Amino acid sequence: MSVYAKAAIVVGILFGIHFGIAKFVDANFNMTNFLVSYVSQAVLTALILLALFQIDKKAKEQLGYAFLGLTSAKVILSYVIATQFLFQGTVIAKELKINFFIAFLIFLCLDAYFVIRLLNKKG
């Protein structure tokens, strides 16, 4: 099984655990906001990984700097997504913020994992 399939399985398991806990804890659970959090982070992570794989092929010595720049851009885009799509109400539920932050951290760890694998790759 490839490392990407294993990563997808781990993210799926973490999603399921997070979903179960969020649904149990929050009586007013909003599935749409929950899915927007995960899908937006998954798309941003996929774009970052595609860019990092290309940079690894062309300029491996710049991979760390590219990761920092792309991660900074991800933080900015995540903020825009959160403020424009998720946090539109006058009163924002604490659970919504926590759910978004957990999804962000899961995918940030995934980004870091793949960068470490690329940096430690021989050849």
Side-chain angles (χ1 to χ4, degrees):
M1 184 181 305
S2 77
V3 68
Y4 308 111
K6 289 177 186 176
I9 290 170
V10 168
V11 168
I13 290 169
L14 291 173
F15 172 83
I17 292 169
H18 184 200
F19 176 78
I21 292 170
K23 189 110 169 120
F24 178 75
V25 171
D26 187 8
N28 298 323
F29 180 73
N30 187 331
M31 182 66 164
T32 304
N33 287 342
F34 190 81
L35 288 176
V36 167
S37 297
Y38 269 89
V39 170
S40 65
Q41 294 305 311
V43 168
L44 291 173
T45 291
L47 292 173
I48 285 175
L49 292 178
L50 288 172
L52 290 175
F53 290 143
Q54 293 303 315
I55 292 167
D56 183 50
K57 290 178 187 174
K58 296 181 181 180
K60 186 174 177 84
E61 63 279 352
Q62 300 299 318
L63 197 58
Y65 296 116
F67 174 72
L68 289 174
L70 290 169
T71 303
S72 297
K74 180 179 180 176
V75 169
I76 293 167
L77 286 172
S78 294
Y79 175 77
V80 169
I81 290 168
T83 57
Q84 296 300 314
F85 299 107
L86 298 177
F87 304 155
Q88 291 182 348
T90 54
V91 177
I92 302 165
K94 183 172 83 171
E95 291 82 7
L96 180 60
K97 293 177 185 177
I98 291 171
N99 288 338
F100 183 79
F101 186 66
I102 290 172
F104 178 79
L105 285 180
I106 289 171
F107 285 98
L108 185 62
C109 290
L110 190 65
D111 292 342
Y113 171 75
F114 280 111
V115 167
I116 290 168
R117 283 185 57 91
L118 286 173
L119 288 171
N120 289 331
K121 185 173 66 172
K122 303 282 188 232

